[in-house]
Amino acid sequence: MKKIKTYKSALQEQDGISPPKALSTDSAKSIKAKRKSQPSISDLVHGITSGNITALSRAITLVESTNPTHTRKAQGIINACLPHASNSIRIGITGVPGVGKSTFIEAFGTYLTSIGKKVAVLAVDPSSSLSKGSILGDKTRMEDLVKNKNAFIRPSASGNSLGGVARKTRETIILCEAAGFDTIIIETVGVGQSETAVHSMVDFFLLLKLAGAGDELQGIKRGIIEMADAIVINKADGDNLKAAKSAKLEFNRALHLYPEKDSGWSPKVFLCSALQKEGIEAVWRVIQDYLKTTTSNQYFEQNRNNQNTFWLLQTIEEHLKSNFYNAPKIKTKLQQQIDLVENGKTTPFAAAEYLLSL
């Protein structure tokens, strides 16, 4: 009889856990009551600063919520956590879908935890423009890293946010730093050249590329290449190794066309095979070199200050937009103006001017 091969991957269907034959009614009520209870701000802050992952996850959920009550509570948590933040290296990782971002982050994160680092991965999944839903499958892809006690993976939906980043990723970074994570990795949805948002909240911006996919031509275009502090050509193994080496030469030539960065850093190009776990250590070494360079010339601190200013202005814009659409007068008049525009009785510009005047 042929033996059936079994798979241990989380992507395969697993046997469920059978419920116990007897369950205490009192225990069930106690568990339900605990789930419904809402911890206070001080309880969550104490849990976060103590490294409690459950408290961190609940606080991030409050931060991401659009409920006004949750927003006020989240702001209190963030303010209390601020003194414990800003003590990590923030790394942004982007690349087109299929480049192997999740595989690379798992290999990279596993290496970092092996040298004593505490790693938080903030993975941003694209939201559907139709259903508004998101798969949030990064924990499944990183099945080994998710079991690592020194790693924390939090997938979030991008929602309506542009730039491949979730609406509240900046605040989530603060909470993760307060929880003791010294390396924050932000994985974007991989939207190509509109990564300004994530670039403005990280210290080091890493771009993953594929050889033989037209990426060599992208090297001579401005945009995301210009923002990258390092380019890693992934999947440099097997039959693809020769093409990867050729792509590395093309990118090195292209990088010479760009002016010197304000940081005084010259971007590097590396080959990597996340599947084979080759080239991972070299990526970390170049990040360490970058930190030494930017710390010695004071760019690191200057960049953090510029980012805070940027997010101040972004927060003001977000609040103005939210207050506008939530104003009672606007809620009443907006649909009326939309109907007038659709019926050709007014122009979009005139309707907008009228609504803004309210």
Side-chain angles (χ1 to χ4, degrees), residues 89-119:
I89 170 69
R90 305 165 184 171
I91 305 168
I93 297 180
T94 189
V96 297
V99 74
K101 292 189 294 294
S102 296
T103 306
F104 174 83
I105 290 173
E106 180 169 47
F108 187 51
T110 301
Y111 169 74
L112 292 178
T113 56
S114 72
I115 59 174
K117 299 292 182 181
K118 290 194 68 178
V119 180

Side-chain angles (χ1 to χ4, degrees), residues 23-98:
L23 180 65
S24 168
T25 306
D26 293 337
S27 297
K29 288 181 179 179
S30 175
I31 292 170
K32 288 179 180 179
K34 284 182 179 179
R35 287 177 178 174
K36 289 182 179 179
S37 64
Q38 297 296 324
S40 65
I41 292 176
S42 58
D43 289 339
L44 287 174
V45 172
H46 179 265
I48 290 169
T49 53
S50 300
N52 186 304
I53 297 301
T54 301
L56 174 61
S57 298
R58 297 189 75 163
I60 293 174
T61 299
L62 289 174
V63 165
E64 293 178 342
S65 174
T66 55
N67 185 309
T69 304
H70 292 169
T71 301
R72 289 191 293 270
K73 190 173 182 179
Q75 194 56 52
I77 296 170
I78 293 168
N79 290 338
C81 287
L82 269 174
H84 307 279
S86 300
N87 51 3
S88 74
I89 170 69
R90 305 165 184 171
I91 305 168
I93 297 180
T94 189
V96 297

Side-chain angles (χ1 to χ4, degrees), residues 305-324:
N305 291 335
N306 291 339
Q307 289 177 356
N308 288 334
T309 302
F310 174 83
W311 284 101
L312 165 65
L313 299 177
Q314 288 293 106
T315 303
I316 291 173
E317 289 181 15
E318 185 178 311
H319 277 277
L320 287 173
K321 184 179 177 180
S322 176
N323 291 339
F324 174 78

Side-chain angles (χ1 to χ4, degrees), residues 106-107 110 144 272-281:
E106 180 169 47
T110 301
D144 291 327
C272 170
S273 172
L275 193 63
Q276 303 295 332
K277 295 180 175 56
E278 296 175 355
I280 302 296
E281 188 176 349

Side-chain angles (χ1 to χ4, degrees), residues 233-305:
I233 301 170
N234 195 21
K235 302 185 180 181
D237 48 40
D239 296 336
N240 203 37
L241 182 58
K242 183 177 179 181
K245 290 180 178 178
S246 176
K248 180 181 177 181
L249 291 174
E250 294 294 334
F251 277 117
N252 273 321
R253 289 176 188 146
L255 287 173
H256 288 300
L257 301 175
Y258 292 103
E260 184 179 354
K261 287 177 173 283
D262 294 336
S263 60
W265 171 257
S266 298
K268 307 292 190 297
V269 184
F270 295 92
L271 297 181
C272 170
S273 172
L275 193 63
Q276 303 295 332
K277 295 180 175 56
E278 296 175 355
I280 302 296
E281 188 176 349
V283 174
W284 178 242
R285 282 200 303 268
V286 79
I287 292 175
Q288 294 296 100
D289 292 341
Y290 174 84
L291 290 177
K292 289 178 183 177
T293 299
T294 55
T295 302
S296 62
N297 63 15
Q298 282 79 49
Y299 176 80
F300 185 90
E301 185 176 355
Q302 177 191 337
N303 186 46
R304 284 275 179 104
N305 291 335

